[in-house]
Amino acid sequence: EVQLQASGGGLVQAGGSLRLSCAVSGSTFDDDVIAWFRQAPGKEREGVICIDTRDGTKWWPDSVEGRFTISSDVAKSTVYLQMNNLAPEDTAVYYCAAGGRSDYGLQASLAFPTLFPYWGRGTLVTVSS
């Protein structure tokens, strides 16, 4: 059984940084697509960033360009989301998800959360102005 455990959320001031962790168990960690999604109150879930652990390729939308990065530690079966220069609009519950490989690439994976069969419980990130 694939399980994901997200951690690292909290309260931070605008301009600050946080690092989220997603520990994955029960999967072929080194051959998977793992992503971070977020959902703000009253809004739909949106893709934040993802990584293909098979070759290290990554994809992210313009909204997080230059601020968010994703990395993976195969030895620890953990994916990290480093978030810098946070803004109040980044406030959301952040979820990590696994198993979302798409024949159309990482951008497609991130566009369709339903591709991911495995989800962790979210971690709340609150950015104060």
Side-chain angles (χ1 to χ4, degrees):
E1 179 185 3
V2 179
Q3 294 185 330
L4 295 88
Q5 180 68 48
S7 61
L11 174 64
V12 63
Q13 289 187 332
S17 299
L18 278 176
R19 188 178 80 157
L20 307 184
S21 300
C22 177
V24 184
S25 61
S27 77
T28 308
F29 183 84
D30 59 355
D31 187 9
D32 201 354
V33 171
I34 300 174
W36 287 95
F37 293 84
R38 67 185 180 187
Q39 188 164 18
K43 295 187 177 181
E44 293 187 354
R45 190 167 296 189
E46 66 169 335
V48 175
I49 197 165
C50 63
I51 185 170
D52 187 335
T53 60
R54 181 167 58 190
D55 57 13
T57 55
K58 308 166 186 177
W59 195 88
W60 56 87
D62 290 344
S63 59
V64 303
E65 171 71 37
R67 301 189 302 126
F68 291 10
T69 58
I70 190 170
S71 61
S72 65
D73 185 331
V74 175
K76 295 182 178 180
S77 295
T78 300
V79 170
Y80 301 98
L81 171 60
Q82 178 66 43
M83 304 185 293
N84 299 324
N85 193 22
L86 284 160
E89 52 265 36
D90 295 315
T91 294
V93 177
Y94 284 70
Y95 301 88
C96 59
R101 187 177 301 284
S102 168
D103 290 341
Y104 300 98
L106 294 180
Q107 183 174 357
S109 293
L110 210 56
F112 298 102
T114 54
L115 287 173
F116 290 81
Y118 309 110
W119 291 79
R121 300 177 70 174
T123 184
L124 177 62
V125 172
T126 304
V127 185
S128 63
S129 57

